[in-house]
Amino acid sequence: MQKNIVITIARQYGSGGKTVGEMLAKKLDIHYYDRELMKLASEESGINEALFANADEMVKGNSLFRASKNVYGGELLPPDSDDFTSRDNLFNYQAKIIRQLADTESCVIMGRCADYVLKDYDNVLSVFVHAPHDFCMEMAGKKHSMSERELEKYIAKMDKQRAEYYKYHTGREWTDARNYDLCLNSSKLGFERCVEEIIAYMKVRFE
């Protein structure tokens, strides 16, 4: 098998993709990266970590970003630039960390358009975890004490934000199966079987 393999996971809210990613990393005994990417990007750039979190939320929460404005190209702005702390440059620093990780270690990377950032890498397996509405409602209901209507609105909002974030930075549709190597329905497989399917795919692809 290839020396270092990176698995990127995008997921619908409530599908359990985060759980699948954590279980996969544990089973393979490799690192799992999610919000830690912001901390690493902060250390790399010298920009306060809070700005990364704020930019993340601003992009995801603003309907102006439905259309792609600045598809990721890898450019980093110098500290003396007026746009050094712009949301695009903050994303690009996170992308730089993602690429460094893909060059140096096997790991699981959650979200953050990692599948697109690493689209030219031969050692990357991109996964999208999805599930039907009722399953996502059931899973999200275990985490949040909301009424059914509130929960429905919350899930729709989270998925909309993720779709807009992805569209803004990649110019692509988040739920398009063509963006990923493997799409898994967690409600039919269960989390453990999802992990097994990813590992089976890795063996076929990389051995």
Side-chain angles (χ1 to χ4, degrees):
M1 197 174 277
Q2 211 158 320
K3 189 180 176 186
N4 64 300
I5 296 167
V6 175
I7 304 98
T8 69
I9 298 181
R11 78 284 187 204
Q12 283 184 299
Y13 193 86
S15 68
K18 186 177 192 297
T19 302
V20 170
E22 290 170 338
M23 288 170 65
L24 177 66
K26 188 174 181 182
K27 187 146 191 171
L28 295 174
D29 194 25
I30 59 178
H31 207 107
Y32 170 88
Y33 291 97
D34 191 355
R35 293 187 69 82
E36 189 183 347
L37 288 169
M38 290 191 283
K39 179 174 180 287
L40 294 171
S42 171
E43 291 169 357
E44 172 78 21
S45 63
I47 299 169
N48 190 305
E49 188 179 340
L51 286 176
F52 284 92
N54 290 342
D56 228 22
E57 294 308 314
M58 281 168 65
V59 170
K60 289 189 287 188
N62 193 331
S63 60
L64 291 173
F65 299 108
R66 282 179 194 156
S68 175
K69 302 273 178 110
N70 186 18
V71 172
Y72 168 73
E75 308 82 7
L76 288 170
L77 298 173
D80 58 358
S81 167
D82 290 341
D83 293 325
F84 184 59
T85 58
S86 67
R87 59 180 63 89
D88 295 325
N89 204 41
L90 293 171
F91 177 85
N92 289 354
Y93 265 105
Q94 286 189 83
K96 181 184 179 185
I97 296 297
I98 288 168
R99 293 169 76 94
Q100 286 174 352
L101 292 172
D103 287 333
T104 57
E105 65 173 274
S106 292
C107 59
V108 174
I109 300 177
M110 190 61 54
R112 291 189 162 61
C113 309
D115 60 284
Y116 185 84
V117 171
L118 301 175
K119 68 184 188 302
D120 298 324
Y121 280 62
D122 294 330
N123 64 328
V124 174
L125 168 58
S126 58
V127 179
F128 185 79
V129 180
H130 61 97
H133 175 73
D134 289 349
F135 181 86
C136 293
M137 285 285 287
E138 184 186 339
M139 290 297 105
K142 292 177 181 178
K143 189 176 177 184
H144 304 286
S145 53
M146 299 178 181
S147 70
E148 188 173 339
R149 189 177 176 192
E150 286 173 332
L151 197 59
E152 202 153 0
K153 286 171 73 175
Y154 183 75
I155 290 172
K157 175 188 165 193
M158 293 301 291
D159 281 345
K160 180 169 173 279
Q161 287 177 352
R162 287 175 182 177
E164 288 178 359
Y165 180 86
Y166 191 86
K167 177 82 169 181
Y168 176 73
H169 289 297
T170 71
R172 296 179 175 185
E173 297 302 324
W174 176 58
T175 54
D176 188 338
R178 291 171 296 183
N179 297 333
Y180 309 98
D181 298 312
L182 193 59
C183 294
L184 299 172
N185 184 332
S186 56
S187 73
K188 291 184 176 176
L189 293 174
F191 301 152
E192 189 65 51
R193 189 64 191 273
C194 282
V195 171
E196 290 172 9
E197 290 299 324
I198 294 169
I199 291 172
Y201 191 106
M202 286 170 64
K203 287 178 179 174
V204 172
R205 167 93 178 270
F206 297 114
E207 280 189 348

